[in-house]
Each structure stands twice: as structure tokens, then as C-alpha cells.
């Protein structure tokens, strides 16, 4: 099964705030972790955040199905795209 994920960036001054949700409980938790790494940070800081290293430190990938592991880059990309728009 594939879960839907929604990531909504909100600009507050020079910082990004994120709201995220999913229709699957596990995916909701994963996207919450991703946005927590970027929330309330300036766009430039979000763009240099090493999301993959943080996820590796948590050992998250070894506990996820292949579908959920494949969805992680998409979640990270949405956060980075929002930061790139604000930084431009």
C-alpha cells in the first residue's frame, strides 16, 4: 500500500515552519521526523541540512519497508524545494 503525504511550508519572517500529515500512521511519524529537522530554521540552513546522515544515525531505514524507505527522499525533496523557493 502507498500512503499519501502532505507537506505544507509556511514562511514566518526568514524561517520556515512546516505542517505535515499522512493517511498512514507510520508514514505520519516519518514525515514528522523529516520536518522536525527543518522546522523553524532559515532556508539556507535547511538547504545544507544532512537529512540522510540524521536518518542513518537513527537507524530508521533498517526498520522500514521498501515502500516507506523509497518515500523518504520524496519527503526530503519537498522540504528542500520549499527552502530553495524561500532562499531564491
Amino acid at each position: 500500500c502507498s500512503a499519501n503525504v502532505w507537506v505544507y511550508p509556511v514562511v514566518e519572517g526568514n524561517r520556515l515552519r512546516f505542517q505535515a500529515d499522512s493517511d498512514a500512521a507510520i508514514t505520519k511519524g516519518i514525515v514528522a521526523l523529516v520536518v522536525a529537522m527543518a522546522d523553524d530554521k532559515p532556508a539556507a540552513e535547511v538547504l545544507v541540512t544532512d537529512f540522510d546522515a540524521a536518518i542513518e544515525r537513527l537507524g530508521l531505514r533498517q526498520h522500514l519497508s521498501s515502500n516507506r524507505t523509497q518515500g523518504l527522499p520524496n519527503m526530503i525533496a519537498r522540504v528542500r524545494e520549499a527552502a530553495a523557493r524561500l532562499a531564491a
Side-chain angles (χ1 to χ4, degrees), residues 11-70:
V11 178
E12 290 183 1
N14 70 336
R15 296 182 172 276
L16 283 168
R17 299 302 313 257
F18 289 91
Q19 298 173 1
D21 201 2
S22 175
D23 56 4
I26 291 173
T27 306
K28 187 179 293 210
I30 296 166
V31 74
L33 287 171
V34 171
V35 299
M37 289 185 254
D39 195 46
D40 200 29
K41 293 182 180 176
E45 190 175 333
V46 173
L47 289 172
V48 298
T49 297
D50 191 347
F51 292 93
D52 291 320
I55 290 165
E56 288 303 317
R57 281 193 304 274
L58 292 171
L60 187 60
R61 282 191 175 91
Q62 68 191 30
H63 299 288
L64 299 176
S65 69
S66 62
N67 280 349
R68 290 200 170 98
T69 300
Q70 291 172 3

